[in-house]
Amino acid sequence: MTPPVNVVILAAGKGTRMHSDLPKVLHPLAGRPLIGHVIAAADRLAPERICVVYGHGGDALPQAVGRDELIWVMQEPQLGTGHAVQQAAPRLNPEAVVLILYGDVPLIRAETLQEMVALAREGAVALLTVRLANPAGYGRIVRNSQGGVERIVEHKDASAEELAIHEVNTGIMALPAKRLTAWLKRLSNDNAQGEYYLTDIIAMAAAEQVPILPCHPAAMWEVLGVNSRAQLAELERTHQHNLAEALLVQGVTLLDPKRIDIRGELTCGRDVIIDINCLFEGRVQLADGVKIGANCVLNNVEVAAGAEILPFSHIEGARIGAGSRVGPYSRIRPGTELAEQTHIGNFVELKNSQVGFNSKINHLSYVGDASVGSKVNIGAGTITANYDGANKHHTDIEDNASIGSNCVLVAPVRIGAAATIGAGSVISKSAPAGELTVARAKAVTIAGWKRPTKKMKEER
Ligand code: UD1
Ligand code: CA
């Protein structure tokens, strides 16, 4: 039977250099906490258990992550990486292979981890290492004369000769649980930092002739950690670059791959075009031939085939029907569904409304809590007065209705099919189908009326 995978995520570090009240691993990268990325990579190995070692921030971390099936282990005080794994050891399946990850190293790829797990399943210690031009601060990989890994020496404990080694420990390793737990019992804190170093188990493995197999990431960004806001910002750019590259490879046109941000999951059909400075949040689906203009924000949106979103539009929690045209400067709020070939124009706000086939709301309107039929035209400056100060009410506008400019539809109200509403009307009673309804004061002309003139100041 293949041994199951148990993942241990180390996340008890203080994160002092973030200068933040938020635990470091909860700082978002691409809209998701750092540790969320690590858990997602772990998930792809179908692990039997995921154990997170945490310390600072108390229950904020388990609560924010919100995954009940994870095993949360408090490490207090924090006496080093070896001490951290010791806290998790009783929760591990002795038959498993253990994969050790860092909660602040978010971009590790599941493919890299899979390789390491395979080696550990054969009984080896798989150790992820990289060569750095400047290895300062890292644990150095000390090899013997045959090139085999012998031990890891931490920077602060290293001799001048060892400091000259460029191959460093990333901290990520995979190994059989039984061996790990036995070695953990023998750790001491007799070193420069007075810490229990997890890295000391490597010399124990070597002494017992357990194979130690170095693995290497496909790219350096996989193993970069976040200790400061600057490093977080840098990794955010790296990640966004990777996401943009993947879209290009898949056939999406990005007018500038450097100017797109994806904080969630963006899926695109064929021949999608995305102009500059767009932000995609949550789950966004763009079907075939969709065009997104510059400076749009889309949050949990489905855009059907051939629809076009013009610049500066903000759309959240909505479905945009095929062939529709939205924007520029449209705001579409949650619960809105546009059917096919609708036109929503500049400075139009829609909320929780259904708009039928080929209907047009082209300028300066607010339509909320409304059902709009097909082939309806709503003139400039029309609003649904859906809120009476206490409750929200619904507006029904039936097929082929035509609402003139600057109308107020006081909900609850119904505008019948093919009704016409004269411009400037305040409609507080339902308007019958097929008729013209006008509700506005008649214009009067006062013949011979004179404008007031300024009085002359009295002379002194
Ligand atoms: C560790 C490694 C070092 C490696 C480096 C890579 C040890 C002794 N050293 O260095 O060889 O080159 O990572 O970055 O393992 N943590 C806890 N509890 C603790 C201490 C740390 O959970 O008591 C967590 C931190 O939150 C972090 C990770 O372990 O996610 C690494 O800790 P950090 O202090 O950054 O690494 P070093 O010990 O300096
Ligand atoms: Ca440390």
Side-chain angles (χ1 to χ4, degrees):
M1 206 191 73
T2 37
V5 179
N6 286 189
V7 177
V8 176
I9 301 176
L10 301 186
K14 283 193 185 67
T16 317
R17 280 192 279 154
M18 296 300 281
H19 301 291
S20 174
D21 292 336
L22 192 67
K24 177 168 75 176
V25 295
L26 287 183
H27 281 261
L29 183 140
R32 172 193 244 180
L34 292 173
I35 196 169
H37 290 269
V38 179
I39 293 170
D43 279 339
R44 290 189 47 204
L45 306 173
E48 178 200 31
R49 300 175 194 175
I50 298 178
C51 189
V52 185
V53 182
Y54 73 111
H56 270 259
D59 287 337
L61 190 52
Q63 264 165 27
V65 171
R67 292 257 308 244
D68 293 339
E69 80 281 16
L70 301 194
I71 302 167
W72 294 90
V73 179
M74 173 77 111
Q75 185 200 13
E76 184 63 57
Q78 285 106 42
L79 304 177
T81 51
H83 180 254
V85 179
Q86 280 172 348
Q87 311 311 302
R91 316 297 292 271
L92 300 173
N93 176 352
E95 303 310 320
V97 300
V98 179
L99 175 65
I100 293 168
L101 303 176
Y102 287 180
D104 55 4
V105 177
L107 300 185
I108 186 69
R109 288 162 58 248
E111 290 77 5
T112 302
L113 300 177
Q114 202 79 65
E115 247 176 70
M116 298 177 68
V117 162
L119 297 172
R121 280 184 168 137
E122 303 294 314
V125 175
L127 192 62
L128 194 65
T129 76
V130 285
R131 290 187 65 81
L132 293 181
N134 174 15
Y138 290 91
R140 307 298 206 280
I141 307 296
V142 181
R143 292 179 181 252
N144 59 27
S145 52
Q146 287 91 58
V149 174
E150 205 164 59
R151 60 196 166 87
I152 297 176
V153 60
E154 291 305 301
H155 182 101
K156 286 184 179 152
D157 298 282
S159 66
E161 206 180 319
E162 288 161 346
L163 287 175
I165 299 172
H166 287 267
E167 188 184 8
V168 305
N169 172 34
T170 65
I172 294 174
M173 59 177 88
L175 69 171
K178 267 193 196 126
R179 294 206 186 273
L180 171 67
T181 45
W183 293 330
L184 284 173
K185 292 189 180 120
R186 292 164 47 200
L187 292 180
S188 93
N189 64 350
D190 182 15
N191 52 51
Q193 304 186 76
E195 284 183 11
Y196 294 91
Y197 292 164
L198 177 61
T199 45
D200 284 350
I201 67 171
I202 298 302
M204 298 178 196
E208 292 177 25
Q209 263 111 62
V210 175
I212 302 164
L213 305 179
C215 299
H216 309 292
M220 194 57 85
W221 47 256
E222 283 192 59
V223 297
L224 295 179
V226 172
N227 294 299
S228 65
R229 307 256 183 185
Q231 287 171 342
L232 178 58
E234 214 169 287
L235 272 196
E236 174 81 35
R237 282 305 100 207
T238 301
H239 185 55
Q240 293 300 339
H241 172 84
N242 293 344
L243 295 175
E245 283 286 305
L247 289 173
L248 293 173
V249 167
Q250 187 213 313
V252 176
T253 296
L254 302 178
L255 277 106
D256 184 354
K258 286 196 165 58
R259 284 184 286 169
I260 176 172
D261 282 88
I262 301 165
R263 300 183 195 149
E265 197 187 319
L266 172 63
T267 54
C268 294
R270 288 177 78 81
D271 296 308
V272 166
I273 299 177
I274 301 174
D275 210 331
I276 58 167
N277 290 337
C278 290
L279 169 58
F280 299 92
E281 298 178 292
R283 286 187 59 120
V284 176
Q285 284 170 269
L286 308 179
D288 296 351
V290 164
K291 288 187 193 160
I292 309 291
N295 300 297
C296 289
V297 177
L298 274 65
N299 179 327
N300 288 302
V301 177
E302 262 176 58
V303 185
E308 184 168 5
I309 313 297
L310 296 160
F312 295 99
S313 295
H314 187 287
I315 309 180
E316 182 181 359
R319 293 230 296 262
I320 310 299
S324 290
R325 206 182 64 209
V326 172
Y329 299 100
S330 295
R331 177 167 184 218
I332 299 189
R333 293 168 52 197
T336 300
E337 287 185 31
L338 306 183
E340 296 186 4
Q341 293 176 48
T342 59
H343 292 180
I344 307 299
N346 42 262
F347 307 107
V348 171
E349 175 179 348
L350 301 182
K351 188 212 76 175
N352 191 31
S353 292
Q354 296 72 50
V355 179
F357 169 76
N358 204 213
S359 286
K360 300 183 169 100
I361 313 174
N362 272 328
H363 329 269
L364 298 156
S365 288
Y366 170 64
V367 175
D369 301 316
S371 303
V372 178
S374 62
K375 293 193 170 285
V376 168
N377 189 79
I378 297 184
T382 287
I383 70 151
T384 56
N386 59 328
Y387 185 50
D388 59 15
N391 296 299
K392 301 269 167 70
H393 300 283
H394 197 261
T395 300
D396 270 300
I397 303 174
E398 296 182 346
D399 296 350
N400 295 299
S402 175
I403 317 288
S405 294
N406 203 32
C407 289
V408 180
L409 308 178
V410 184
V413 71
R414 168 183 300 270
I415 310 298
T420 303
I421 306 297
S425 294
V426 175
I427 302 293
S428 49
K429 281 202 310 233
S430 293
E435 308 289 355
L436 169 66
T437 301
V438 195
R440 63 175 181 240
K442 279 228 166 67
V444 290
T445 302
I446 296 169
W449 181 84
K450 290 276 185 306
R451 282 189 204 167
T453 51
K454 264 207 170 115
K455 277 193 183 127
M456 297 303 270
K457 284 225 174 93
E458 269 177 46
E459 276 174 42
R460 299 204 290 171

